[in-house]
Amino acid sequence: MSAPAKIKTDAPPASIAEDFAEALRLGAFSIIALLLAALLFSGVIGPLFALGSVEETVTDVLSRLALVALPFVAYIAAASVARRCAWTDTPRALGLAFASSLTLFLLISAGHYALDYGVFAPRPSLQMSLSQTADGLRVDALEPGGAADSAGIHVGDVITAIRRDPVDMAAFNLRLSQSEADAPLRLRFLRAGEEMQQTARVVIVSDKQLSALLPGLAVALVFTAVIVFLPGRWAPYIALVGLLTPLLIGYIWVIIATFSFRTEGLIPLDGQDNFGGLTLENWEAIFVGNIAGLEFNIVPILLTSLAIAIIMTLVVLLVSSMAGYALSRMDFPGRRFFLSFTLILHGFPAITLLIPIFIVLLRLGNIPLIGDLIGFNTAGGIALVMVAFQLPLGVWLMKGFFDNIPWDMERSALIDGASRWRAYWQILLPQIRPGLLALGIFAFIGGWNAYIIPATYSIGSGVSNLPVFLNELIDETAPVDWNQVAAVGLFQLIPIFIFFIFAQEYLLNIYAGGAKGSS
Amino acid sequence: MKVFIDQLTKKFGDVIGVEDLTLHIDDGEFVAFLGPSGCGKTTTLLTLAGIYKPTEGEIRFDERVVNRVPPKDRNIGMVFQSYALYPHMTVFQNIAYPLKLKKVAKAVQHERVEQVATTMGIGNLLDRRPGQLSGGQQQRVALGRALVKEPDILLFDEPLSNLDARLRLTMRGEIKHLQKDLGITSIYVTHDQVEAMTMADRIAVMNGGHLQAFDAPDELYSRPKTQFVAGFVGNPPMNFLSVEVSQAEGRYVAQAAGLRLEIGRERGERPASHAGAVVMGIRPEDIQISEDGTVAGEIYIVEPLGREDLIDVRVGRHSFLLLASTETQHHAGERVKLSFDMEKAQFFDPQTEKSLLWRQ
């Protein structure tokens, strides 16, 4: 008999020591990788930009982000080993995770200690300890010969303000941490009921207290435990929510602000800085036509906005679809040139054309009859210019949609007895309805939100649309009431919301080609 | 309605679609345009439909020259390979569309659509949209739409090639039956020679933009006038080989390496008078494996087709495809003797590729 073939069975479960070693290895790799990344941004890419005299802070931010993320990535890497048995052998998983994250935490902290970084970094200080009392910050202890001591502060003094700004503990620490070495801080304080002030100069101390590690340790352990038991399919959502939060907060602020007297962050406040102060006044002001003393009538502004958007939508749809049809279906001299030319036009920066068009519109305005329709200071003129800028995109988009319709469909219509015009109108246009709708919405939104062109070609006239009005609101009311500006902004968004709610299915279709063939 | 195509040429820039095509189609005739892809058959059809304008030449429907007549004034019906139904309309609206364009009264529209739909067996589908129909049903709708306006000429552009084999067989019969019933002059473009052979009264074989032959199916089959027609019509295709035909003592003999075949006088006379080698063509069914065969060969491969076996026999450096009954089992490598039915053999001039037997 030949030697029995060695059949590889399932690997025996790794011992705890092996798992621990693997977790540490993964953690160490992540630390090295992120250190290298930070080095790459701050040491290589940053200097390269600097060589070209490019002022930027992105590389610096990225480098610091890498360092902030470093411990967390290391914990995740280490916890990934423990996750394997998170639900089968929970105590083992927890033990493994805590042991490895603790080890990594100590490793990172040792690095911080050696390099004077993180919690061990030298920080600005006035060399005294404070406690919050009802009157202010009471000085509990002073370092003899320290910054506060030499400024003449005594134990028992109650600090109420830095310069003229009243401070509590958080504000004081914030102010302090933002100060540079030797910066003067003029402290107002009460000594035996008497108000006094002294200027202390900030010193940079490096005291390296180990107790500063405790919050970090707690974070490490909790974070690791969460990672070990987090269902894997939640991860993308958590990442997305994390990334979206800043955006969402912006929208939420706008909505809250329009309904409140004033806001502190996302919290609506009333006149006495108490929670509350919810009001409809911001909205009422739009319709009454008086915002912070600026009197206006919203109806003509709204109508101008609507006129520009609707004219633009109709003209863009009509011209684009007809031009797209011709470019897709007909062969005529200059077709290729026209196609490439429109593409160049699409890429042409509109801003550079503002002044030439200004002159054109002025001259157009001098023509009788037509001038009143599409000249300078008319909604028609503004729409005309906007249409011109929107058309290249529209023509290309429509050409693409027509290209997708089989030739046979059109031939069939012609043979059935339709004229070419009728085939276009009755047979081809219905096939590209999703494209028309999408382009129409783009055009409408473009017209509705237009600012630069309406602002340029309606100077000093009553013709102003909502975005231009919004800008006037910020310019001409002092002080600016941001809550009312937010209300006008949200008011402007309403038609867009309505459009999207009804049309999102079609809008999404624009990238799916649109035409649903019969075969 | 009669259709006259005279010296029709259609060019797209420098590319030739069809060149110098002359074809006369009788009233009520079913004509197939047969040829490989890119041979100009669809170009000709679309020129007949009025989608393309002829570059040169003339097209007449009866006595009326239609070169410049737009499609809508030609009163033709057309069925496309892709069916070209209008996806945003119901079946009813699709079929009624030609009537609507003709401004036929609503009530009449209803009546005619119902009638056509019943004929086509799609009367129960009128409320559906094309996307909800199977390929065969869509095909019937397309046919119904072509028929509803009672056209003078029906055009088919490979209408069955998107259907599965079984459905194709059924539809083939139905279309032919319908055409005979209605007596509408019909032109049917296809690259499938079985479709052309089974359906058409006459077949126009085209290649490279030129008309190769225009004849009844059995004529094309038994008296091909060019080598292309001989090779294209018939499945499995005809065997071709280069032979020398000579005459000695009143007997005609075709010779090639390892091959010596006697021909009757009627067939042999013309090829024998041709100087040098000629191309001999012989169909697979005209070669038999038999004990008293005169040609020895070896079976190279056997392809069972069910009803019979398709056998590739090597004779010297020649290869012959032949059909043998499945009663006798043959296998690759077997040595066999072949007998040729030389009364069915065809001979072609190798230069002009024209038949030496049948003058055009």
Side-chain angles (χ1 to χ4, degrees):
Chain A
M1 278 295 284
S2 57
K6 281 181 185 167
I7 296 165
K8 199 172 181 185
T9 52
D10 285 353
S15 69
I16 289 207
E18 280 170 353
D19 275 351
F20 183 60
E22 191 188 352
L24 285 192
R25 197 165 61 238
L26 286 174
F29 278 148
S30 340
I31 292 174
I32 292 169
L34 282 168
L35 280 179
L36 285 177
L39 193 68
L40 178 74
F41 288 125
S42 65
V44 181
I45 299 180
L48 274 180
F49 275 117
L51 270 184
S53 302
V54 178
E55 280 196 30
E56 51 88 38
T57 54
V58 177
T59 53
D60 185 45
V61 170
L62 286 177
S63 159
R64 279 195 283 173
L65 257 183
L67 291 178
V68 168
L70 184 146
F72 297 100
V73 175
Y75 301 148
I76 292 174
S80 70
V81 177
R83 276 178 66 89
R84 288 174 205 157
C85 56
W87 301 107
T88 51
D89 189 353
T90 307
R92 175 183 157 136
L94 270 183
L96 193 63
F98 285 149
S100 49
S101 63
L102 187 65
T103 314
L104 287 169
F105 174 76
L106 291 178
L107 188 70
I108 294 166
S109 300
H112 285 176
Y113 192 89
L115 297 170
D116 289 348
Y117 189 82
V119 290
F120 297 127
R123 52 191 169 79
S125 167
L126 288 178
Q127 293 170 311
M128 59 181 174
S129 60
L130 303 169
S131 60
Q132 179 85 53
T133 64
D135 299 328
L137 306 172
R138 188 179 179 279
V139 179
D140 295 330
L142 282 173
E143 196 167 309
D149 191 29
S150 42
I153 312 268
H154 297 168
V155 171
D157 291 349
V158 176
I159 297 171
T160 55
I162 298 177
R163 306 190 71 174
R164 291 210 174 93
D165 312 326
V167 291
D168 56 9
M169 193 65 140
F172 182 86
N173 283 336
L174 182 71
R175 186 69 184 263
L176 188 59
S177 67
Q178 288 168 345
S179 305
E180 290 173 4
D182 213 26
L185 286 185
R186 199 166 77 214
L187 303 176
R188 284 170 180 262
F189 53 89
L190 302 167
R191 182 178 294 164
E194 191 182 341
E195 189 163 335
M196 302 181 66
Q197 57 177 329
Q198 288 292 348
T199 300
R201 290 190 173 271
V202 175
V203 293
I204 304 293
V205 296
S206 173
D207 49 2
K208 297 197 178 180
Q209 288 167 350
L210 285 180
S211 62
L213 284 177
L214 287 177
L217 181 62
V219 167
L221 295 180
V222 171
F223 183 74
T224 308
V226 169
I227 292 294
V228 169
F229 294 107
L230 187 77
R233 63 200 151 82
W234 287 11
Y237 297 103
I238 291 171
L240 281 177
V241 167
L243 288 171
L244 274 178
T245 306
L247 273 177
L248 288 178
I249 287 175
Y251 285 108
I252 293 168
W253 179 82
V254 170
I255 293 167
I256 293 176
T258 60
F259 293 109
S260 25
F261 177 73
R262 75 182 196 89
T263 52
E264 181 79 41
L266 292 179
I267 304 161
L269 297 176
D270 62 13
Q272 279 75 48
D273 286 358
N274 295 319
F275 180 81
L278 292 176
T279 170
L280 285 174
E281 273 173 26
N282 297 321
W283 287 92
E284 199 185 343
I286 297 175
F287 301 103
V288 169
N290 188 330
I291 290 178
L294 179 72
E295 290 201 10
F296 61 92
N297 185 354
I298 196 72
V299 176
I301 296 173
L302 202 60
L303 286 181
T304 309
S305 263
L306 262 181
I308 293 174
I310 288 174
I311 293 174
M312 200 172 143
T313 310
L314 293 180
V315 177
V316 163
L317 281 183
L318 193 69
V319 177
S320 302
S321 67
M322 285 167 68
Y325 173 81
L327 288 168
S328 167
R329 288 295 202 247
M330 295 174 176
D331 198 17
F332 53 87
R335 178 178 168 273
R336 288 182 61 84
F337 170 78
F338 189 84
L339 268 178
S340 38
F341 190 66
T342 32
L343 202 60
I344 294 170
L345 274 185
H346 182 46
F348 203 89
I351 299 291
T352 54
L353 291 175
L354 279 183
I355 291 169
I357 291 174
F358 187 93
I359 295 166
V360 170
L361 280 186
L362 269 184
R363 297 283 155 87
L364 273 181
N366 291 335
I367 303 173
L369 289 176
I370 298 175
D372 295 336
L373 211 61
I374 54 169
F376 182 64
N377 267 349
T378 61
I382 292 166
L384 185 73
V385 176
M386 304 276 306
V387 164
F389 284 122
Q390 186 90 18
L391 272 184
L393 171 77
V395 169
W396 267 87
L397 208 63
M398 286 298 106
K399 178 193 175 291
F401 271 94
F402 279 116
D403 282 348
N404 274 338
I405 304 177
W407 269 100
D408 278 355
M409 188 96 70
E410 191 177 353
R411 288 172 180 157
S412 177
L414 293 180
I415 290 170
D416 280 348
S419 63
R420 198 138 196 199
W421 174 257
R422 209 175 169 119
Y424 156 81
W425 189 254
Q426 285 188 339
I427 303 299
L428 297 187
L429 276 193
Q431 315 295 319
I432 61 166
R433 208 161 8 187
L436 288 174
L437 199 70
L439 179 62
I441 290 170
F442 282 153
F444 187 88
I445 293 174
W448 184 257
N449 285 341
Y451 171 69
I452 192 86
I453 288 168
T456 313
Y457 302 137
S458 63
I459 296 172
S461 75
V463 185
S464 99
N465 65 350
L466 270 171
V468 174
F469 170 70
L470 200 60
N471 190 52
E472 275 173 19
L473 213 56
I474 298 171
D475 277 354
E476 295 183 12
T477 60
V480 181
D481 184 339
W482 290 107
N483 295 46
Q484 290 194 319
V485 172
V488 178
L490 203 60
F491 176 70
Q492 193 198 328
L493 268 179
I494 290 172
I496 311 283
F497 276 137
I498 295 172
F499 247 87
F500 266 87
I501 288 165
F502 285 108
Q504 56 169 320
E505 203 172 309
Y506 281 98
L507 253 189
L508 293 175
N509 220 335
I510 191 169
Y511 296 112
K516 291 192 187 79
S518 58
S519 60
Chain B
M1 180 169 281
K2 291 179 185 172
V3 177
F4 301 94
I5 304 172
D6 280 312
Q7 286 156 1
L8 174 73
T9 298
K10 175 64 191 174
K11 291 182 186 169
F12 302 95
D14 292 334
V15 182
I16 291 170
V18 284
E19 195 170 32
D20 198 19
L21 175 76
T22 301
L23 208 65
H24 294 180
I25 298 167
D26 286 336
D27 188 25
E29 201 176 8
F30 195 123
V31 170
F33 287 0
L34 178 64
S37 302
C39 73
K41 51 191 184 334
T42 300
T43 305
T44 311
L45 197 73
L46 289 176
T47 314
L48 282 175
I51 301 291
Y52 296 151
K53 305 256 179 301
T55 313
E56 281 167 41
E58 197 175 77
I59 297 174
R60 280 178 293 142
F61 292 173
D62 283 339
E63 293 316 308
R64 173 175 171 229
V65 178
V66 293
N67 280 22
R68 298 269 142 208
V69 177
K72 66 190 180 84
D73 299 329
R74 293 191 181 205
N75 198 25
I76 44 182
M78 185 159 171
V79 181
F80 292 87
Q81 178 179 358
S82 61
Y83 319 136
L85 299 178
Y86 313 127
H88 59 295
M89 299 183 182
T90 62
V91 168
F92 178 88
Q93 289 167 326
N94 263 282
I95 298 179
Y97 192 61
L99 300 178
K100 187 178 152 197
L101 293 176
K102 271 188 171 178
K103 300 197 167 61
V104 172
K106 275 267 157 61
V108 183
Q109 279 187 29
H110 264 273
E111 193 183 315
R112 295 258 291 272
V113 172
E114 297 275 351
Q115 187 192 334
V116 165
T118 313
T119 316
M120 298 307 304
I122 46 171
N124 54 334
L125 303 175
L126 288 177
D127 294 333
R128 304 245 195 117
R129 283 180 196 274
Q132 301 165 306
L133 302 181
S134 72
Q137 290 168 332
Q138 291 190 29
Q139 185 63 76
R140 284 163 205 269
V141 176
L143 197 55
R145 188 177 62 183
L147 288 173
V148 75
K149 62 179 182 178
E150 294 167 357
D152 296 326
I153 302 168
L154 262 178
L155 306 177
F156 297 89
D157 185 9
E158 310 205 10
L160 303 185
S161 46
N162 280 1
L163 300 180
D164 62 75
R166 214 185 148 70
L167 201 52
R168 208 178 298 173
L169 207 69
T170 329
M171 288 300 289
R172 213 158 73 190
E174 279 185 31
I175 290 178
K176 182 165 186 181
H177 188 76
L178 207 63
Q179 194 268 341
K180 283 283 164 276
D181 267 6
L182 300 171
I184 303 173
T185 311
S186 299
I187 300 168
Y188 189 103
V189 160
T190 180
H191 61 259
D192 181 346
Q193 44 113 0
V194 178
E195 258 173 43
M197 299 283 284
T198 51
M199 297 171 82
D201 299 325
R202 282 196 290 170
I203 299 174
V205 183
M206 297 180 73
N207 189 33
H210 293 267
L211 183 67
Q212 295 282 328
F214 183 40
D215 251 324
D218 50 340
E219 276 291 298
L220 286 181
Y221 194 76
S222 50
R223 296 162 186 264
K225 294 202 172 71
T226 65
Q227 193 183 332
F228 175 81
V229 173
F232 197 79
V233 175
N235 188 30
M238 191 181 266
N239 298 294
F240 290 109
L241 72 159
S242 180
V243 296
E244 297 265 2
V245 180
S246 57
Q247 182 204 7
E249 299 152 23
R251 296 167 74 170
Y252 295 88
V253 174
Q255 273 182 297
L259 207 71
R260 191 188 151 81
L261 297 163
E262 281 198 22
I263 323 169
R265 179 189 154 83
E266 219 170 290
R267 292 248 159 182
E269 209 167 21
R270 275 186 174 153
S273 63
H274 188 272
V278 298
V279 174
M280 185 183 95
I282 184 139
R283 294 200 182 276
E285 58 266 39
D286 299 332
I287 310 176
Q288 245 85 51
I289 295 176
S290 68
E291 289 301 316
D292 50 347
T294 53
V295 178
E298 185 185 326
I299 294 180
Y300 182 67
I301 199 163
V302 179
E303 295 179 30
L305 299 179
R307 188 155 44 94
E308 46 206 353
D309 288 341
L310 179 64
I311 301 180
D312 187 345
V313 179
R314 296 284 156 95
V315 177
R317 53 189 179 80
H318 302 294
S319 157
F320 293 97
L321 285 176
L322 59 91
L323 291 169
S325 107
T326 49
E327 280 168 26
T328 340
Q329 288 287 323
H330 295 287
H331 53 87
E334 186 184 340
R335 300 205 61 85
V336 290
K337 288 194 166 171
L338 305 178
S339 68
F340 288 68
D341 182 357
M342 291 306 284
E343 288 311 301
K344 302 268 181 72
Q346 308 287 337
F347 294 94
F348 303 97
D349 183 325
Q351 269 79 50
T352 62
E353 297 194 344
K354 286 190 173 151
S355 175
L356 295 169
L357 302 178
W358 329 107
R359 297 273 182 248
Q360 276 179 323

